[in-house]
Amino acid sequence: MPQPASIRPRKRVAFLNSGAGADKKTSTAKIGAKEMVELFKQVPYTPLNDKISVEHLGFGTARIRLRVDSQNLRPGGTVSGPVLFTLCDMVAWAVVCSLNGKSLLSVTTSTSIDFLNKPRAGHDLIGMGEVLKNGKRLVVSRVSVYSDGDLENAVAHASVTYSVPPTQSKL
């Protein structure tokens, strides 16, 4: 007898695969890593703009490194929550741009973030994201943040939804 959908085991999905919204014919991002860095400079992500590097940008996926320094720390030597939140938002926007190209008018409509572990002292942060749903007007992605050298234990996990303008959506 088949199990009801609510109790069937879910298939495990590779984290940085081609993404849920990937086109079967193309698996390359619609924007390059260097172009994405230039886009970050056009929006108010400062002061993190000078501390990031886009390590990977695939169709529906992104990986961004944030160099952590003393300006990003709060008392106790941990990275501040707003810095982790901003990194998640930057990764999610990179995912949106990988699907739709330069998307300056896309905006965050919803974010839920969980802070899971204290980041490792003296290590960069790695934000990895992938699209979960590439809809007509909304792009939903998940982002996990790790300390460099420890990709087993996430520091933070976020679900981020972006609204995409009609001219850049799949209408």
Side-chain angles (χ1 to χ4, degrees):
M1 177 174 210
Q3 293 179 338
S6 61
I7 60 172
R8 262 188 245 143
R10 298 181 119 188
K11 291 182 181 177
R12 295 190 66 93
V13 177
F15 186 68
L16 280 177
N17 63 8
S18 59
D23 180 358
K24 302 287 185 212
K25 296 177 183 174
T26 177
S27 60
T28 58
K30 292 191 176 182
I31 187 171
K34 288 181 182 178
E35 290 174 296
M36 193 69 230
V37 171
E38 291 303 314
L39 275 183
F40 283 135
K41 292 178 182 177
Q42 296 177 34
V43 295
Y45 280 120
T46 53
L48 297 184
N49 285 345
D50 296 334
K51 299 177 185 180
I52 61 133
S53 59
V54 178
E55 294 185 341
H56 165 80
L57 205 54
F59 192 78
T61 63
R63 178 179 166 134
I64 295 177
R65 174 181 298 268
L66 173 67
R67 291 179 304 282
V68 177
D69 61 24
S70 60
Q71 293 177 336
N72 305 124
L73 302 179
R74 54 174 284 132
T78 189
V79 177
S80 72
V83 169
L84 291 168
F85 183 94
T86 302
L87 177 59
C88 289
D89 194 51
M90 292 174 89
V91 171
W93 188 44
V95 167
V96 169
C97 290
S98 78
L99 297 167
N100 298 304
K102 293 180 181 179
S103 192
L104 286 171
L105 298 179
S106 294
V107 294
T108 308
T109 59
S110 175
T111 301
S112 174
I113 187 167
D114 294 305
F115 301 105
L116 305 171
N117 293 298
K118 182 178 178 178
R120 292 174 63 185
H123 289 80
D124 291 349
L125 293 176
I126 308 293
M128 295 191 288
E130 71 175 339
V131 64
L132 295 176
K133 178 178 170 63
N134 185 14
K136 289 181 182 179
R137 294 290 307 268
L138 297 176
V139 175
V140 180
S141 60
R142 70 173 162 201
V143 178
S144 292
V145 178
Y146 301 89
S147 290
D148 189 25
D150 184 9
L151 298 180
E152 296 290 319
N153 300 301
V155 171
H157 178 81
S159 175
V160 185
T161 303
Y162 262 79
S163 176
V164 180
T167 57
Q168 293 182 343
S169 64
K170 300 180 295 184
L171 292 178

